[in-house]
Amino acid sequence: MAIEKNNLMSGQVGNLVKRNVGGLQVVQTKPFRKVRPTTEMKRVSKDFGYASSVAKALRSAFFDVHRGWHDDLLHSRLTKQVINCMRCNPISPRQQDNHYLASVGRLQGFQFNGYCHHHDYVFLEPMVELSRFRKLRVRMPEFDGSKHLHIPKNCFWLEIQIDIKAFRSNFKEYEALGTHILEVDLLQEAGNLFKQRVFLHDILDEQVEAVFVAMTVFYYDQKGNRGKLLNDRGLHPAALIGAFVVK
């Protein structure tokens, strides 16, 4: 209830609090009672913070893949996908380290660039496998560059890049296991045809917990150093094509 005195009001009206200060009327909103976070609220907050740190680590590790040409929602999309991995494991992070590892394979197929879907530009399926003997195998099938790749306007030379990263210490550390580049000369028919290629890597470091493989395509208007890179945020297909727990 508010009381009017000398044309000034003091007291509460609804959600507003009115009071007199030095002959002036001041209106403020009623302060809300602070809500103490529950155990579940704390757990959700901790999980989100952890997922965000994993997303940041993946973005940093694969910068050479996405090159900063991605949509504005990359971090939030990747964080949400990591959270989905975590939800597949009923054990909370406070009870178990590396809880994300149970379903890390759900990150396979993640698109770094929401403006440019990988499958709309690359019409071939690399096979990525990790054996129980800690051997990573990336098989590029036989393909014809002019048929199995989308060729943008004014592109006469392109490079398919495959990056492999290993993570340890709960995603706090990572190292490059290898980078492979396939060059396609669109001006020469013979340069378009590729036989099957297989890339093998042994995971020798016993501390490695997870391995990720990413793929992207770089487009050029000419071959060699004279070529101008055509990629930008609207033309840069980049995705994770492999995600594994290393046991």
Side-chain angles (χ1 to χ4, degrees):
M1 180 181 68
I3 300 175
E4 182 178 358
K5 184 177 182 180
N6 298 327
N7 295 325
L8 296 174
M9 297 185 67
S10 62
Q12 179 179 341
V13 178
N15 196 39
L16 299 177
V17 177
K18 300 185 177 183
R19 55 194 180 91
N20 302 322
V21 179
L24 299 176
Q25 190 167 73
V26 177
V27 181
Q28 297 174 311
T29 58
K30 181 182 178 181
F32 291 97
R33 181 172 60 88
K34 293 184 178 180
V35 179
R36 292 184 177 180
T38 63
T39 301
E40 179 63 17
M41 291 171 63
K42 292 179 179 179
R43 184 192 67 79
V44 171
S45 177
K46 185 174 182 178
D47 283 359
F48 181 83
Y50 176 81
S52 180
S53 66
V54 171
K56 182 179 179 181
L58 288 170
R59 285 182 60 188
S60 176
F62 287 107
F63 181 83
D64 288 341
V65 172
H66 62 74
R67 298 289 182 93
W69 293 314
H70 55 71
D71 59 291
D72 296 331
L73 298 177
L74 169 61
H75 185 76
S76 60
R77 289 191 298 109
L78 187 50
T79 298
K80 182 178 180 180
Q81 195 72 0
V82 174
I83 289 176
N84 289 340
C85 293
M86 295 165 60
R87 286 176 176 171
C88 294
N89 191 338
I91 302 177
S92 74
R94 290 172 299 170
Q95 296 171 297
Q96 174 181 321
D97 291 334
N98 307 334
H99 58 288
Y100 60 86
L101 293 177
S103 302
V104 75
R106 292 172 66 94
L107 289 170
Q108 182 168 323
F110 179 82
Q111 304 294 315
F112 283 105
N113 187 1
Y115 300 137
C116 186
H117 198 286
H118 183 78
H119 289 162
D120 292 334
Y121 289 80
V122 180
F123 311 123
L124 55 97
E125 289 292 339
M127 296 293 294
V128 187
E129 301 171 323
L130 180 66
S131 75
R132 61 188 182 93
F133 301 107
R134 300 167 67 93
K135 292 183 179 293
L136 181 71
R137 182 173 183 265
V138 181
R139 182 180 68 84
M140 290 291 292
E142 182 177 298
F143 70 94
D144 184 333
S146 60
K147 295 180 179 179
H148 296 103
L149 298 170
H150 173 78
I151 311 301
K153 184 179 179 180
N154 298 325
C155 176
F156 301 102
W157 175 272
L158 58 82
E159 295 176 349
I160 301 174
Q161 177 174 312
I162 298 174
D163 266 25
I164 306 170
K165 296 291 194 305
F167 291 81
R168 53 179 175 267
S169 301
N170 215 348
F171 273 94
K172 293 182 176 65
E173 300 176 4
Y174 66 85
E175 65 174 329
L177 291 185
T179 298
H180 306 283
I181 297 178
L182 299 179
E183 299 177 340
V184 180
D185 187 349
L186 299 173
L187 294 177
Q188 297 183 14
E189 184 175 351
N192 294 337
L193 303 177
F194 280 82
K195 295 183 178 181
Q196 176 177 285
R197 298 281 299 275
V198 178
F199 308 112
L200 298 174
H201 292 273
D202 292 325
I203 315 300
L204 301 177
D205 187 348
E206 294 294 332
Q207 301 301 316
V208 169
E209 301 165 339
V211 173
F212 288 80
V213 183
M215 177 176 171
T216 190
V217 183
F218 295 104
Y219 305 93
Y220 298 88
D221 62 352
Q222 295 184 59
K223 177 181 178 181
N225 296 331
R226 295 176 300 172
K228 176 184 176 183
L229 185 62
L230 303 177
N231 294 54
D232 56 26
R233 294 181 75 186
L235 178 64
H236 190 67
L240 291 174
I241 61 172
F244 304 94
V245 176
V246 180
K247 299 181 180 179

mmCIF file of all heavy atoms in Angstrom, residues 167-203:
data_model
loop_
_atom_site.group_PDB
_atom_site.id
_atom_site.type_symbol
_atom_site.label_atom_id
_atom_site.label_comp_id
_atom_site.label_asym_id
_atom_site.label_seq_id
_atom_site.Cartn_x
_atom_site.Cartn_y
_atom_site.Cartn_z
ATOM 1 N N PHE A 167 43.525 -36.377 -28.038
ATOM 2 C CA PHE A 167 43.275 -35.606 -26.823
ATOM 3 C C PHE A 167 43.583 -36.448 -25.590
ATOM 4 O O PHE A 167 43.356 -37.662 -25.565
ATOM 5 C CB PHE A 167 41.807 -35.157 -26.772
ATOM 6 C CG PHE A 167 41.456 -34.132 -27.815
ATOM 7 C CD1 PHE A 167 41.177 -34.531 -29.112
ATOM 8 C CD2 PHE A 167 41.421 -32.787 -27.508
ATOM 9 C CE1 PHE A 167 40.862 -33.596 -30.084
ATOM 10 C CE2 PHE A 167 41.117 -31.848 -28.472
ATOM 11 C CZ PHE A 167 40.832 -32.263 -29.770
ATOM 12 N N ARG A 168 44.063 -35.773 -24.565
ATOM 13 C CA ARG A 168 44.346 -36.431 -23.295
ATOM 14 C C ARG A 168 44.089 -35.431 -22.156
ATOM 15 O O ARG A 168 43.751 -34.284 -22.389
ATOM 16 C CB ARG A 168 45.786 -36.942 -23.241
ATOM 17 C CG ARG A 168 46.853 -35.916 -23.545
ATOM 18 C CD ARG A 168 48.252 -36.533 -23.425
ATOM 19 N NE ARG A 168 49.285 -35.580 -23.823
ATOM 20 C CZ ARG A 168 49.786 -35.492 -25.042
ATOM 21 N NH1 ARG A 168 49.366 -36.317 -25.995
ATOM 22 N NH2 ARG A 168 50.714 -34.593 -25.325
ATOM 23 N N SER A 169 44.257 -35.902 -20.935
ATOM 24 C CA SER A 169 44.056 -35.065 -19.731
ATOM 25 C C SER A 169 42.685 -34.400 -19.744
ATOM 26 O O SER A 169 42.531 -33.216 -19.470
ATOM 27 C CB SER A 169 45.153 -34.005 -19.617
ATOM 28 O OG SER A 169 46.423 -34.601 -19.550
ATOM 29 N N ASN A 170 41.659 -35.206 -20.085
ATOM 30 C CA ASN A 170 40.280 -34.708 -20.041
ATOM 31 C C ASN A 170 40.094 -33.492 -20.949
ATOM 32 O O ASN A 170 39.487 -32.497 -20.572
ATOM 33 C CB ASN A 170 39.876 -34.362 -18.608
ATOM 34 C CG ASN A 170 38.425 -34.667 -18.329
ATOM 35 O OD1 ASN A 170 37.658 -34.926 -19.242
ATOM 36 N ND2 ASN A 170 38.057 -34.609 -17.071
ATOM 37 N N PHE A 171 40.644 -33.568 -22.148
ATOM 38 C CA PHE A 171 40.540 -32.540 -23.182
ATOM 39 C C PHE A 171 41.337 -31.274 -22.854
ATOM 40 O O PHE A 171 41.170 -30.256 -23.515
ATOM 41 C CB PHE A 171 39.078 -32.157 -23.452
ATOM 42 C CG PHE A 171 38.424 -33.036 -24.472
ATOM 43 C CD1 PHE A 171 37.697 -34.145 -24.086
ATOM 44 C CD2 PHE A 171 38.531 -32.758 -25.818
ATOM 45 C CE1 PHE A 171 37.101 -34.961 -25.013
ATOM 46 C CE2 PHE A 171 37.937 -33.563 -26.766
ATOM 47 C CZ PHE A 171 37.216 -34.680 -26.373
ATOM 48 N N LYS A 172 42.194 -31.347 -21.882
ATOM 49 C CA LYS A 172 43.024 -30.187 -21.566
ATOM 50 C C LYS A 172 44.254 -30.115 -22.471
ATOM 51 O O LYS A 172 44.868 -29.053 -22.599
ATOM 52 C CB LYS A 172 43.443 -30.209 -20.097
ATOM 53 C CG LYS A 172 42.296 -30.023 -19.111
ATOM 54 C CD LYS A 172 42.820 -30.019 -17.683
ATOM 55 C CE LYS A 172 41.712 -29.727 -16.687
ATOM 56 N NZ LYS A 172 40.696 -30.786 -16.670
ATOM 57 N N GLU A 173 44.622 -31.237 -23.089
ATOM 58 C CA GLU A 173 45.794 -31.273 -23.963
ATOM 59 C C GLU A 173 45.438 -32.018 -25.246
ATOM 60 O O GLU A 173 44.611 -32.935 -25.230
ATOM 61 C CB GLU A 173 46.967 -31.981 -23.274
ATOM 62 C CG GLU A 173 47.427 -31.327 -21.984
ATOM 63 C CD GLU A 173 48.525 -32.129 -21.302
ATOM 64 O OE1 GLU A 173 48.957 -33.152 -21.886
ATOM 65 O OE2 GLU A 173 48.926 -31.742 -20.200
ATOM 66 N N TYR A 174 46.082 -31.610 -26.335
ATOM 67 C CA TYR A 174 45.899 -32.342 -27.585
ATOM 68 C C TYR A 174 47.174 -32.233 -28.419
ATOM 69 O O TYR A 174 48.015 -31.364 -28.201
ATOM 70 C CB TYR A 174 44.706 -31.788 -28.377
ATOM 71 C CG TYR A 174 44.876 -30.382 -28.895
ATOM 72 C CD1 TYR A 174 45.522 -30.128 -30.110
ATOM 73 C CD2 TYR A 174 44.404 -29.294 -28.166
ATOM 74 C CE1 TYR A 174 45.681 -28.830 -30.588
ATOM 75 C CE2 TYR A 174 44.554 -28.004 -28.634
ATOM 76 C CZ TYR A 174 45.182 -27.780 -29.846
ATOM 77 O OH TYR A 174 45.337 -26.501 -30.308
ATOM 78 N N GLU A 175 47.299 -33.147 -29.369
ATOM 79 C CA GLU A 175 48.440 -33.132 -30.273
ATOM 80 C C GLU A 175 47.976 -33.565 -31.656
ATOM 81 O O GLU A 175 46.976 -34.290 -31.795
ATOM 82 C CB GLU A 175 49.544 -34.069 -29.776
ATOM 83 C CG GLU A 175 49.155 -35.532 -29.765
ATOM 84 C CD GLU A 175 50.319 -36.429 -29.404
ATOM 85 O OE1 GLU A 175 51.457 -36.059 -29.727
ATOM 86 O OE2 GLU A 175 50.079 -37.508 -28.811
ATOM 87 N N ALA A 176 48.707 -33.120 -32.677
ATOM 88 C CA ALA A 176 48.394 -33.493 -34.054
ATOM 89 C C ALA A 176 49.024 -34.844 -34.368
ATOM 90 O O ALA A 176 50.222 -35.042 -34.168
ATOM 91 C CB ALA A 176 48.914 -32.428 -35.014
ATOM 92 N N LEU A 177 48.223 -35.779 -34.853
ATOM 93 C CA LEU A 177 48.734 -37.084 -35.269
ATOM 94 C C LEU A 177 49.095 -37.096 -36.749
ATOM 95 O O LEU A 177 49.893 -37.920 -37.180
ATOM 96 C CB LEU A 177 47.696 -38.170 -34.982
ATOM 97 C CG LEU A 177 47.419 -38.493 -33.508
ATOM 98 C CD1 LEU A 177 46.455 -39.662 -33.406
ATOM 99 C CD2 LEU A 177 48.710 -38.814 -32.769
ATOM 100 N N GLY A 178 48.486 -36.193 -37.507
ATOM 101 C CA GLY A 178 48.810 -36.162 -38.930
ATOM 102 C C GLY A 178 47.853 -35.297 -39.721
ATOM 103 O O GLY A 178 46.703 -35.071 -39.313
ATOM 104 N N THR A 179 48.334 -34.796 -40.854
ATOM 105 C CA THR A 179 47.522 -34.042 -41.801
ATOM 106 C C THR A 179 47.787 -34.596 -43.193
ATOM 107 O O THR A 179 48.947 -34.742 -43.601
ATOM 108 C CB THR A 179 47.867 -32.539 -41.769
ATOM 109 O OG1 THR A 179 47.592 -32.018 -40.459
ATOM 110 C CG2 THR A 179 47.043 -31.772 -42.794
ATOM 111 N N HIS A 180 46.726 -34.902 -43.912
ATOM 112 C CA HIS A 180 46.849 -35.461 -45.261
ATOM 113 C C HIS A 180 46.091 -34.567 -46.240
ATOM 114 O O HIS A 180 44.956 -34.162 -45.962
ATOM 115 C CB HIS A 180 46.291 -36.881 -45.302
ATOM 116 C CG HIS A 180 46.891 -37.798 -44.282
ATOM 117 N ND1 HIS A 180 48.143 -38.357 -44.434
ATOM 118 C CD2 HIS A 180 46.428 -38.210 -43.073
ATOM 119 C CE1 HIS A 180 48.418 -39.105 -43.377
ATOM 120 N NE2 HIS A 180 47.393 -39.031 -42.528
ATOM 121 N N ILE A 181 46.720 -34.280 -47.378
ATOM 122 C CA ILE A 181 46.122 -33.399 -48.377
ATOM 123 C C ILE A 181 46.102 -34.094 -49.731
ATOM 124 O O ILE A 181 47.133 -34.597 -50.197
ATOM 125 C CB ILE A 181 46.898 -32.074 -48.479
ATOM 126 C CG1 ILE A 181 46.828 -31.310 -47.147
ATOM 127 C CG2 ILE A 181 46.340 -31.206 -49.609
ATOM 128 C CD1 ILE A 181 47.610 -30.010 -47.138
ATOM 129 N N LEU A 182 44.923 -34.133 -50.347
ATOM 130 C CA LEU A 182 44.755 -34.658 -51.696
ATOM 131 C C LEU A 182 44.494 -33.487 -52.634
ATOM 132 O O LEU A 182 43.545 -32.719 -52.427
ATOM 133 C CB LEU A 182 43.585 -35.645 -51.750
ATOM 134 C CG LEU A 182 43.693 -36.888 -50.862
ATOM 135 C CD1 LEU A 182 42.450 -37.748 -51.006
ATOM 136 C CD2 LEU A 182 44.929 -37.700 -51.218
ATOM 137 N N GLU A 183 45.320 -33.333 -53.651
ATOM 138 C CA GLU A 183 45.188 -32.228 -54.601
ATOM 139 C C GLU A 183 44.450 -32.701 -55.848
ATOM 140 O O GLU A 183 44.757 -33.761 -56.401
ATOM 141 C CB GLU A 183 46.568 -31.684 -54.970
ATOM 142 C CG GLU A 183 47.347 -31.142 -53.777
ATOM 143 C CD GLU A 183 48.738 -30.669 -54.163
ATOM 144 O OE1 GLU A 183 49.230 -31.100 -55.238
ATOM 145 O OE2 GLU A 183 49.319 -29.890 -53.406
ATOM 146 N N VAL A 184 43.495 -31.898 -56.298
ATOM 147 C CA VAL A 184 42.692 -32.242 -57.469
ATOM 148 C C VAL A 184 42.835 -31.130 -58.500
ATOM 149 O O VAL A 184 42.457 -29.979 -58.245
ATOM 150 C CB VAL A 184 41.198 -32.425 -57.101
ATOM 151 C CG1 VAL A 184 40.385 -32.789 -58.328
ATOM 152 C CG2 VAL A 184 41.048 -33.489 -56.019
ATOM 153 N N ASP A 185 43.391 -31.477 -59.663
ATOM 154 C CA ASP A 185 43.559 -30.531 -60.766
ATOM 155 C C ASP A 185 42.382 -30.711 -61.719
ATOM 156 O O ASP A 185 42.306 -31.698 -62.454
ATOM 157 C CB ASP A 185 44.878 -30.798 -61.486
ATOM 158 C CG ASP A 185 45.185 -29.734 -62.532
ATOM 159 O OD1 ASP A 185 44.297 -28.927 -62.837
ATOM 160 O OD2 ASP A 185 46.321 -29.727 -63.045
ATOM 161 N N LEU A 186 41.459 -29.758 -61.710
ATOM 162 C CA LEU A 186 40.245 -29.882 -62.504
ATOM 163 C C LEU A 186 40.470 -29.577 -63.976
ATOM 164 O O LEU A 186 39.588 -29.812 -64.800
ATOM 165 C CB LEU A 186 39.167 -28.949 -61.937
ATOM 166 C CG LEU A 186 38.755 -29.251 -60.497
ATOM 167 C CD1 LEU A 186 37.827 -28.178 -59.970
ATOM 168 C CD2 LEU A 186 38.095 -30.619 -60.396
ATOM 169 N N LEU A 187 41.638 -29.060 -64.324
ATOM 170 C CA LEU A 187 41.936 -28.751 -65.721
ATOM 171 C C LEU A 187 42.488 -29.974 -66.456
ATOM 172 O O LEU A 187 42.521 -29.981 -67.694
ATOM 173 C CB LEU A 187 42.937 -27.597 -65.810
ATOM 174 C CG LEU A 187 42.421 -26.241 -65.313
ATOM 175 C CD1 LEU A 187 43.519 -25.200 -65.395
ATOM 176 C CD2 LEU A 187 41.204 -25.797 -66.108
ATOM 177 N N GLN A 188 42.920 -30.966 -65.718
ATOM 178 C CA GLN A 188 43.454 -32.177 -66.330
ATOM 179 C C GLN A 188 42.593 -33.358 -65.906
ATOM 180 O O GLN A 188 42.440 -33.627 -64.712
ATOM 181 C CB GLN A 188 44.904 -32.415 -65.912
ATOM 182 C CG GLN A 188 45.862 -31.317 -66.363
ATOM 183 C CD GLN A 188 47.299 -31.633 -65.998
ATOM 184 O OE1 GLN A 188 47.623 -32.763 -65.647
ATOM 185 N NE2 GLN A 188 48.160 -30.634 -66.100
ATOM 186 N N GLU A 189 42.049 -34.035 -66.873
ATOM 187 C CA GLU A 189 41.139 -35.135 -66.571
ATOM 188 C C GLU A 189 41.820 -36.221 -65.747
ATOM 189 O O GLU A 189 41.230 -36.793 -64.830
ATOM 190 C CB GLU A 189 40.602 -35.731 -67.874
ATOM 191 C CG GLU A 189 39.563 -36.821 -67.642
ATOM 192 C CD GLU A 189 38.958 -37.315 -68.936
ATOM 193 O OE1 GLU A 189 39.214 -36.694 -69.996
ATOM 194 O OE2 GLU A 189 38.223 -38.316 -68.890
ATOM 195 N N ALA A 190 43.096 -36.476 -66.042
ATOM 196 C CA ALA A 190 43.822 -37.504 -65.293
ATOM 197 C C ALA A 190 44.003 -37.107 -63.832
ATOM 198 O O ALA A 190 44.111 -37.959 -62.955
ATOM 199 C CB ALA A 190 45.181 -37.748 -65.941
ATOM 200 N N GLY A 191 44.041 -35.802 -63.572
ATOM 201 C CA GLY A 191 44.217 -35.334 -62.198
ATOM 202 C C GLY A 191 42.967 -35.446 -61.368
ATOM 203 O O GLY A 191 42.990 -35.227 -60.157
ATOM 204 N N ASN A 192 41.837 -35.790 -62.015
ATOM 205 C CA ASN A 192 40.573 -35.906 -61.291
ATOM 206 C C ASN A 192 40.356 -37.283 -60.703
ATOM 207 O O ASN A 192 39.548 -37.454 -59.806
ATOM 208 C CB ASN A 192 39.397 -35.594 -62.223
ATOM 209 C CG ASN A 192 39.394 -34.150 -62.671
ATOM 210 O OD1 ASN A 192 39.964 -33.302 -62.004
ATOM 211 N ND2 ASN A 192 38.753 -33.871 -63.798
ATOM 212 N N LEU A 193 41.042 -38.285 -61.248
ATOM 213 C CA LEU A 193 40.788 -39.671 -60.872
ATOM 214 C C LEU A 193 41.731 -40.098 -59.756
ATOM 215 O O LEU A 193 42.951 -40.018 -59.896
ATOM 216 C CB LEU A 193 40.964 -40.576 -62.097
ATOM 217 C CG LEU A 193 40.093 -40.215 -63.309
ATOM 218 C CD1 LEU A 193 40.414 -41.137 -64.476
ATOM 219 C CD2 LEU A 193 38.609 -40.285 -62.958
ATOM 220 N N PHE A 194 41.141 -40.578 -58.667
ATOM 221 C CA PHE A 194 41.933 -40.992 -57.513
ATOM 222 C C PHE A 194 41.629 -42.438 -57.164
ATOM 223 O O PHE A 194 40.468 -42.824 -57.035
ATOM 224 C CB PHE A 194 41.627 -40.107 -56.291
ATOM 225 C CG PHE A 194 42.340 -38.785 -56.313
ATOM 226 C CD1 PHE A 194 41.837 -37.735 -57.044
ATOM 227 C CD2 PHE A 194 43.518 -38.615 -55.604
ATOM 228 C CE1 PHE A 194 42.493 -36.514 -57.065
ATOM 229 C CE2 PHE A 194 44.187 -37.406 -55.622
ATOM 230 C CZ PHE A 194 43.670 -36.352 -56.359
ATOM 231 N N LYS A 195 42.672 -43.222 -57.018
ATOM 232 C CA LYS A 195 42.511 -44.574 -56.521
ATOM 233 C C LYS A 195 42.341 -44.533 -55.009
ATOM 234 O O LYS A 195 42.582 -43.515 -54.362
ATOM 235 C CB LYS A 195 43.723 -45.424 -56.902
ATOM 236 C CG LYS A 195 43.891 -45.639 -58.401
ATOM 237 C CD LYS A 195 45.073 -46.549 -58.682
ATOM 238 C CE LYS A 195 45.209 -46.787 -60.180
ATOM 239 N NZ LYS A 195 46.350 -47.698 -60.490
ATOM 240 N N GLN A 196 41.934 -45.648 -54.461
ATOM 241 C CA GLN A 196 41.739 -45.717 -53.010
ATOM 242 C C GLN A 196 43.036 -45.399 -52.278
ATOM 243 O O GLN A 196 44.105 -45.861 -52.647
ATOM 244 C CB GLN A 196 41.255 -47.109 -52.629
ATOM 245 C CG GLN A 196 41.115 -47.318 -51.126
ATOM 246 C CD GLN A 196 40.572 -48.679 -50.787
ATOM 247 O OE1 GLN A 196 39.396 -48.936 -50.952
ATOM 248 N NE2 GLN A 196 41.436 -49.580 -50.317
ATOM 249 N N ARG A 197 42.920 -44.578 -51.231
ATOM 250 C CA ARG A 197 44.070 -44.225 -50.397
ATOM 251 C C ARG A 197 43.759 -44.605 -48.950
ATOM 252 O O ARG A 197 42.632 -44.405 -48.476
ATOM 253 C CB ARG A 197 44.349 -42.722 -50.474
ATOM 254 C CG ARG A 197 44.716 -42.221 -51.858
ATOM 255 C CD ARG A 197 46.164 -42.529 -52.193
ATOM 256 N NE ARG A 197 47.081 -41.894 -51.270
ATOM 257 C CZ ARG A 197 47.515 -40.632 -51.405
ATOM 258 N NH1 ARG A 197 47.092 -39.881 -52.410
ATOM 259 N NH2 ARG A 197 48.372 -40.134 -50.543
ATOM 260 N N VAL A 198 44.763 -45.131 -48.262
ATOM 261 C CA VAL A 198 44.597 -45.512 -46.858
ATOM 262 C C VAL A 198 45.684 -44.854 -46.026
ATOM 263 O O VAL A 198 46.872 -44.931 -46.360
ATOM 264 C CB VAL A 198 44.656 -47.048 -46.681
ATOM 265 C CG1 VAL A 198 44.542 -47.411 -45.199
ATOM 266 C CG2 VAL A 198 43.548 -47.725 -47.475
ATOM 267 N N PHE A 199 45.272 -44.181 -44.953
ATOM 268 C CA PHE A 199 46.212 -43.539 -44.033
ATOM 269 C C PHE A 199 46.135 -44.256 -42.691
ATOM 270 O O PHE A 199 45.050 -44.416 -42.125
ATOM 271 C CB PHE A 199 45.878 -42.057 -43.862
ATOM 272 C CG PHE A 199 45.754 -41.315 -45.158
ATOM 273 C CD1 PHE A 199 44.526 -40.835 -45.582
ATOM 274 C CD2 PHE A 199 46.857 -41.102 -45.961
ATOM 275 C CE1 PHE A 199 44.403 -40.146 -46.779
ATOM 276 C CE2 PHE A 199 46.763 -40.414 -47.162
ATOM 277 C CZ PHE A 199 45.528 -39.941 -47.579
ATOM 278 N N LEU A 200 47.277 -44.691 -42.180
ATOM 279 C CA LEU A 200 47.334 -45.443 -40.930
ATOM 280 C C LEU A 200 48.118 -44.677 -39.870
ATOM 281 O O LEU A 200 49.157 -44.069 -40.174
ATOM 282 C CB LEU A 200 47.988 -46.807 -41.156
ATOM 283 C CG LEU A 200 47.271 -47.757 -42.129
ATOM 284 C CD1 LEU A 200 48.122 -49.003 -42.364
ATOM 285 C CD2 LEU A 200 45.900 -48.139 -41.594
ATOM 286 N N HIS A 201 47.628 -44.725 -38.640
ATOM 287 C CA HIS A 201 48.316 -44.084 -37.522
ATOM 288 C C HIS A 201 48.224 -44.985 -36.295
ATOM 289 O O HIS A 201 47.140 -45.477 -35.954
ATOM 290 C CB HIS A 201 47.700 -42.715 -37.195
ATOM 291 C CG HIS A 201 47.915 -41.693 -38.258
ATOM 292 N ND1 HIS A 201 49.029 -40.896 -38.309
ATOM 293 C CD2 HIS A 201 47.151 -41.354 -39.329
ATOM 294 C CE1 HIS A 201 48.944 -40.089 -39.361
ATOM 295 N NE2 HIS A 201 47.816 -40.352 -39.996
ATOM 296 N N ASP A 202 49.336 -45.198 -35.647
ATOM 297 C CA ASP A 202 49.367 -45.942 -34.389
ATOM 298 C C ASP A 202 49.270 -44.960 -33.228
ATOM 299 O O ASP A 202 50.010 -43.972 -33.178
ATOM 300 C CB ASP A 202 50.663 -46.748 -34.265
ATOM 301 C CG ASP A 202 50.734 -47.879 -35.273
ATOM 302 O OD1 ASP A 202 49.675 -48.455 -35.577
ATOM 303 O OD2 ASP A 202 51.841 -48.167 -35.762
ATOM 304 N N ILE A 203 48.365 -45.239 -32.304
ATOM 305 C CA ILE A 203 48.207 -44.403 -31.109
ATOM 306 C C ILE A 203 49.167 -44.939 -30.051
ATOM 307 O O ILE A 203 48.837 -45.842 -29.281
ATOM 308 C CB ILE A 203 46.753 -44.412 -30.595
ATOM 309 C CG1 ILE A 203 45.770 -44.244 -31.738
ATOM 310 C CG2 ILE A 203 46.572 -43.338 -29.538
ATOM 311 C CD1 ILE A 203 45.928 -42.964 -32.506
#
